[in-house]
Amino acid sequence: MGFACDAAALVLGLGIILAGAEFFTNAVEWVGRKLRLNEGAVGSVLAAAGTAMPEAMVPVVALLSGDPEHAEAVGLGAILGAPLMLATLAFFVTGLAVVVHARLGRREASVLASPAVLTRDLGFFIVVYLIVLLAGILDLAKAARLAFAGLLVLLYGLYLRRTFACARSGHAELVPAPLFLARRGESGAEPSAALAAAQAVLAMGVIILGVRVFVGRITSIAVTLGVSTFVLAVIITPVATELPEKLNSIIWVGSRKDTLALGNITGAMVFQSSVIPALGILLTPWMLGRLEVTAAGLTLAPAVIAYLDVRRNGRLGLPALFSGGLFYLLFLAAAAVWS
C-alpha cells in the first residue's frame, strides 16, 4: 500500500512539474521579449538559471544540514549528478523529441539551434568542468580551494557578461504565444513586464512544489529498494530535479525554438558546473574517488563531442545528441559495478 501511494504521488509530482514548465516557458519568453533579449540569452541564462534552482538547492541544503554522515555524499553526488544528467540524458531526450516531432510532421528532422550559442555555452562548460575535476584530483590546501572556488564564480560572471553582450544581436526577436495570465485581457495588447515576471515566479513555485513531491516519493522508493546514498544522490535525485530543463526543452523543440531548447540545457550546465561546485569545494574536502572521476569524464565526453560537431559542421547533429544516452548507460554500468 505504501509503495502504491508513493507511485501515485510520483505521477502527481510529474504532472505538477509539467504544468509548471508549460507556464514557465511561456512566461520566460515574454520576460526576454520585454528585456529585448534574443533566444540565446533567454535560454542560456533566464530559463537555465531559473529551472536550475530546484536541483541547485539539493546540494546546498545537504552541505549546510550539519549531518556529516550523509551530507558530503549527498552534496557531492548532487553536484556531479546535475551536469551528468544534462550532458547525457537531457541531450538524448532533446534529440529524441526532435525526431518524434519530425515524424508527426511538426518540424524538420534536424537541430536548428544557433551555433554561436552552443559553442559559447559548451566551451565555457568544458573549461569550468575541467577546473572542477582538477580541484577534485589534487590534494588542495584550504587557500587553494578558496582560489579554485573564486575562479569558478569569476568565470560564470564572465560567461554572463559575454552572453548579455551578444543578447541583442544575431537572432530574430522572440514571438511568444499569448501569456497565460493575460489571455482574458484586451485582445492584441501585449502583457506588461510585471505580469510576465509574476507568471514566471508563480510557475517556478509550482515547479519547486512538484519537485519536492517527486523527489520525496522517489527518495522513499529508493530507500525501500535499498539504494545507496551516493547512487540516490548522483542518479535518482538529479533525474527528478532535472525534469524542468528536460520538459522545457521538449516544449520548445515542439515549437521549433531549438536555441531556447538547447540553450536551456547548456546554460544550466554552465551554472551547475561553476556556481554550485564552488560551494562544494569550499564546504567539503572535495576529493573525488574512482566513480566520481568516471562520472566527470562521462559528463565531459558528450559535451566535447557536441562542441566539436558544431565547430566542424556549423550545426549540432542528432548523432551528437544521441551519444549522450550511450554515456549515461556507461555511467549506470560503472555505478552498478563500483558503488
Side-chain angles (χ1 to χ4, degrees):
M1 183 64 180
F3 186 86
C5 290
D6 285 341
L10 203 68
V11 174
L12 174 62
L14 178 60
I16 294 172
I17 295 171
L18 180 59
E22 184 76 36
F23 270 73
F24 184 80
T25 55
N26 174 248
V28 80
E29 288 184 42
W30 275 108
V31 171
R33 180 181 176 89
K34 291 300 180 179
L35 294 176
R36 298 183 179 180
L37 301 177
N38 61 26
E39 289 187 354
V42 173
S44 298
V45 178
L46 298 185
T51 53
M53 287 305 168
E55 64 266 27
M57 292 307 297
V58 174
V60 172
V61 171
L63 293 175
L64 298 178
S65 66
D67 178 8
E69 183 178 355
H70 298 291
E72 187 176 332
V74 172
L76 183 61
I79 290 170
L80 295 177
L84 172 68
M85 292 300 163
L86 290 167
T88 58
L89 203 55
F91 270 15
F92 176 81
V93 169
T94 303
L96 187 62
V98 171
V99 172
V100 170
H101 282 294
R103 289 289 180 88
L104 295 175
R106 297 172 180 171
R107 55 161 298 135
E108 300 87 343
S110 58
V111 180
L112 309 175
S114 163
V117 171
L118 293 178
T119 53
R120 179 197 66 217
D121 287 6
L122 291 171
F124 265 96
F125 169 73
I126 292 167
V127 170
V128 296
Y129 206 66
L130 282 172
I131 294 172
V132 169
L133 179 58
L134 182 62
I137 295 174
L138 300 176
D139 187 9
L140 299 175
K142 185 175 182 180
R145 293 207 306 272
L146 179 62
F148 267 80
L151 177 60
L152 290 173
V153 175
L154 181 65
L155 285 173
Y156 188 69
L158 178 62
Y159 166 77
L160 291 179
R161 180 179 178 182
R162 183 170 296 182
T163 300
F164 284 118
C166 304
R168 295 181 175 88
S169 63
H171 300 288
E173 185 179 10
L174 277 170
V175 182
L179 190 73
F180 283 107
L181 293 185
R183 287 188 169 182
R184 295 185 179 181
E186 182 180 350
S187 178
E190 286 200 0
S192 66
L195 187 60
Q199 180 174 309
V201 172
L202 176 63
M204 275 306 305
V206 172
I207 289 173
I208 291 171
L209 173 63
V211 167
R212 285 178 61 88
V213 173
F214 195 101
V215 171
R217 293 309 92 201
I218 206 168
T219 300
S220 177
I221 291 173
V223 170
T224 300
L225 297 177
V227 177
S228 72
T229 302
F230 180 78
V231 171
L232 172 66
V234 79
I235 297 178
I236 298 176
T237 300
V239 166
T241 55
E242 297 299 340
L243 278 174
E245 282 90 348
K246 297 182 185 75
L247 294 176
N248 287 348
S249 295
I250 290 171
I251 291 168
W252 273 321
V253 161
S255 303
R256 301 177 71 250
K257 296 175 179 177
D258 291 5
T259 299
L260 285 170
L262 269 301
N264 184 36
I265 294 172
T266 56
M269 287 166 62
V270 178
F271 178 80
Q272 295 284 13
S273 61
S274 54
V275 177
I276 306 305
L279 182 65
I281 292 171
L282 287 176
L283 298 181
T284 74
W286 198 254
M287 292 299 296
L288 304 184
R290 179 172 57 178
L291 183 56
E292 290 87 349
V293 172
T294 300
L298 294 174
T299 300
L300 281 167
V304 171
I305 289 173
Y307 177 81
L308 294 176
D309 189 38
V310 178
R311 290 297 299 266
R312 184 182 301 114
N313 301 314
R315 65 184 182 87
L316 181 59
L318 285 173
L321 285 177
F322 285 133
S323 73
L326 172 62
F327 289 108
Y328 181 65
L329 292 177
L330 289 174
F331 173 74
L332 291 181
V337 173
W338 292 335
S339 62

